[in-house]
Amino acid sequence: MKQIQPVVFPLNLGTATILNCIGSDNFSTSVNIFYQLLNTENQPLQSGNLFLIGFDYEAYNTSTDGNEYIYQWTATELGVTLI
């Protein structure tokens, strides 16, 4: 889990302050990333799946810290800022 700049959800759903990611690497061509945006009580406000493929998979595969790469990539895809 990583802290993010607060993201306010409409309709009083809450404010996300945490990004959680779980990656499943097929060790060949892609990583399926399950993500959650959580509030301060660790309750999910949004969740979904992203697929890291192609050039991004190659960069992930050669990175020195695969977990950090997944968090940075997911944050970029979702438009949130890690803090």
Side-chain angles (χ1 to χ4, degrees):
M1 289 187 204
K2 300 264 186 185
Q3 296 292 316
I4 60 172
Q5 288 287 334
V7 177
V8 178
F9 282 76
L11 305 174
N12 295 321
L13 291 176
T15 301
T17 58
I18 301 166
L19 171 63
N20 186 41
C21 294
I22 301 170
S24 178
D25 189 343
N26 73 2
F27 300 106
S28 177
T29 59
S30 66
V31 178
N32 178 11
I33 301 166
F34 173 72
Y35 74 87
Q36 295 175 304
L37 294 175
L38 308 169
N39 64 17
T40 55
E41 291 82 34
N42 290 331
Q43 297 169 323
L45 300 176
Q46 179 180 328
S47 63
N49 289 288
L50 296 171
F51 297 92
L52 193 149
I53 59 173
F55 173 78
D56 293 321
Y57 181 77
E58 291 175 24
Y60 154 79
N61 218 18
T62 58
S63 71
T64 57
D65 187 342
N67 287 334
E68 184 63 26
Y69 188 93
I70 284 174
Y71 272 101
Q72 292 288 341
W73 185 86
T74 301
T76 299
E77 291 294 302
L78 296 176
V80 301
T81 303
L82 298 176
I83 55 175

